[in-house]
mmCIF file of all heavy atoms in Angstrom:
data_model
loop_
_atom_site.group_PDB
_atom_site.id
_atom_site.type_symbol
_atom_site.label_atom_id
_atom_site.label_comp_id
_atom_site.label_asym_id
_atom_site.label_seq_id
_atom_site.Cartn_x
_atom_site.Cartn_y
_atom_site.Cartn_z
ATOM 1 N N ARG A 275 18.983 7.653 12.172
ATOM 2 C CA ARG A 275 19.352 9.023 12.495
ATOM 3 C C ARG A 275 18.461 9.798 13.417
ATOM 4 O O ARG A 275 18.795 10.899 13.828
ATOM 5 C CB ARG A 275 19.599 9.857 11.187
ATOM 6 C CG ARG A 275 18.325 10.108 10.416
ATOM 7 C CD ARG A 275 18.652 11.295 9.421
ATOM 8 N NE ARG A 275 17.452 11.556 8.713
ATOM 9 C CZ ARG A 275 17.059 10.908 7.655
ATOM 10 N NH1 ARG A 275 17.741 9.836 7.161
ATOM 11 N NH2 ARG A 275 15.896 11.149 7.005
ATOM 12 N N ALA A 292 29.992 1.317 11.429
ATOM 13 C CA ALA A 292 30.211 1.424 10.018
ATOM 14 C C ALA A 292 30.288 2.866 9.525
ATOM 15 O O ALA A 292 29.452 3.685 9.898
ATOM 16 C CB ALA A 292 29.182 0.679 9.228
ATOM 17 N N PHE A 293 31.391 3.161 8.875
ATOM 18 C CA PHE A 293 31.618 4.574 8.361
ATOM 19 C C PHE A 293 31.268 4.569 6.858
ATOM 20 O O PHE A 293 31.757 3.734 6.107
ATOM 21 C CB PHE A 293 33.089 4.873 8.579
ATOM 22 C CG PHE A 293 33.542 6.114 7.931
ATOM 23 C CD1 PHE A 293 33.054 7.390 8.471
ATOM 24 C CD2 PHE A 293 34.410 6.175 6.785
ATOM 25 C CE1 PHE A 293 33.451 8.606 7.938
ATOM 26 C CE2 PHE A 293 34.810 7.366 6.310
ATOM 27 C CZ PHE A 293 34.344 8.537 6.841
ATOM 28 N N SER A 294 30.363 5.543 6.514
ATOM 29 C CA SER A 294 29.895 5.494 5.055
ATOM 30 C C SER A 294 30.445 6.731 4.347
ATOM 31 O O SER A 294 29.985 7.014 3.249
ATOM 32 C CB SER A 294 28.381 5.539 5.091
ATOM 33 O OG SER A 294 27.912 6.931 5.247
ATOM 34 N N GLY A 295 31.316 7.533 4.962
ATOM 35 C CA GLY A 295 31.830 8.755 4.332
ATOM 36 C C GLY A 295 31.192 9.932 4.905
ATOM 37 O O GLY A 295 31.753 10.733 5.567
ATOM 38 N N SER A 296 29.831 10.065 4.799
ATOM 39 C CA SER A 296 29.141 11.239 5.324
ATOM 40 C C SER A 296 28.537 10.941 6.741
ATOM 41 O O SER A 296 28.209 11.790 7.513
ATOM 42 C CB SER A 296 28.058 11.721 4.471
ATOM 43 O OG SER A 296 27.120 10.683 4.185
ATOM 44 N N THR A 297 28.318 9.598 7.080
ATOM 45 C CA THR A 297 27.743 9.211 8.304
ATOM 46 C C THR A 297 28.487 8.058 9.027
ATOM 47 O O THR A 297 29.265 7.355 8.372
ATOM 48 C CB THR A 297 26.292 8.734 8.151
ATOM 49 O OG1 THR A 297 26.244 7.540 7.308
ATOM 50 C CG2 THR A 297 25.421 9.878 7.554
ATOM 51 N N ARG A 298 28.208 7.924 10.315
ATOM 52 C CA ARG A 298 28.649 6.693 10.999
ATOM 53 C C ARG A 298 27.439 5.948 11.493
ATOM 54 O O ARG A 298 26.537 6.619 12.087
ATOM 55 C CB ARG A 298 29.489 7.007 12.211
ATOM 56 C CG ARG A 298 30.850 7.688 11.942
ATOM 57 C CD ARG A 298 31.571 7.988 13.188
ATOM 58 N NE ARG A 298 32.662 9.003 12.882
ATOM 59 C CZ ARG A 298 33.803 8.726 12.313
ATOM 60 N NH1 ARG A 298 34.040 7.449 11.991
ATOM 61 N NH2 ARG A 298 34.717 9.592 12.085
ATOM 62 N N GLU A 299 27.383 4.703 11.301
ATOM 63 C CA GLU A 299 26.250 3.917 11.726
ATOM 64 C C GLU A 299 26.707 2.994 12.764
ATOM 65 O O GLU A 299 27.743 2.319 12.650
ATOM 66 C CB GLU A 299 25.527 3.169 10.634
ATOM 67 C CG GLU A 299 24.204 2.646 10.965
ATOM 68 C CD GLU A 299 23.460 2.120 9.758
ATOM 69 O OE1 GLU A 299 23.692 1.046 9.378
ATOM 70 O OE2 GLU A 299 22.578 2.877 9.393
ATOM 71 N N GLU A 312 22.495 6.459 13.720
ATOM 72 C CA GLU A 312 23.376 7.016 12.735
ATOM 73 C C GLU A 312 23.674 8.430 13.222
ATOM 74 O O GLU A 312 22.780 9.193 13.546
ATOM 75 C CB GLU A 312 22.660 6.995 11.443
ATOM 76 C CG GLU A 312 23.466 7.457 10.228
ATOM 77 C CD GLU A 312 22.579 7.550 8.938
ATOM 78 O OE1 GLU A 312 22.402 6.483 8.297
ATOM 79 O OE2 GLU A 312 22.191 8.699 8.592
ATOM 80 N N VAL A 313 24.940 8.796 13.050
ATOM 81 C CA VAL A 313 25.341 10.115 13.363
ATOM 82 C C VAL A 313 26.133 10.704 12.252
ATOM 83 O O VAL A 313 26.618 9.967 11.348
ATOM 84 C CB VAL A 313 26.049 10.265 14.705
ATOM 85 C CG1 VAL A 313 25.174 9.916 15.849
ATOM 86 C CG2 VAL A 313 27.343 9.378 14.628
ATOM 87 N N ASP A 314 26.304 12.027 12.214
ATOM 88 C CA ASP A 314 27.187 12.641 11.258
ATOM 89 C C ASP A 314 28.592 12.146 11.400
ATOM 90 O O ASP A 314 29.049 11.881 12.502
ATOM 91 C CB ASP A 314 27.145 14.224 11.616
ATOM 92 C CG ASP A 314 27.459 15.011 10.309
ATOM 93 O OD1 ASP A 314 26.490 15.173 9.569
ATOM 94 O OD2 ASP A 314 28.625 15.288 10.144
ATOM 95 N N ALA A 315 29.286 11.981 10.271
ATOM 96 C CA ALA A 315 30.694 11.397 10.365
ATOM 97 C C ALA A 315 31.574 12.339 11.122
ATOM 98 O O ALA A 315 32.696 11.902 11.631
ATOM 99 C CB ALA A 315 31.167 11.209 8.942
ATOM 100 N N ALA A 316 31.272 13.646 11.290
ATOM 101 C CA ALA A 316 32.117 14.513 12.011
ATOM 102 C C ALA A 316 32.129 14.245 13.458
ATOM 103 O O ALA A 316 33.009 14.660 14.236
ATOM 104 C CB ALA A 316 31.680 15.968 11.773
#
Side-chain angles (χ1 to χ4, degrees):
R275 68 162 180 277
F293 173 66
S294 80
S296 57
T297 62
R298 294 179 197 282
E299 193 168 78
E312 185 187 278
V313 293
D314 207 86

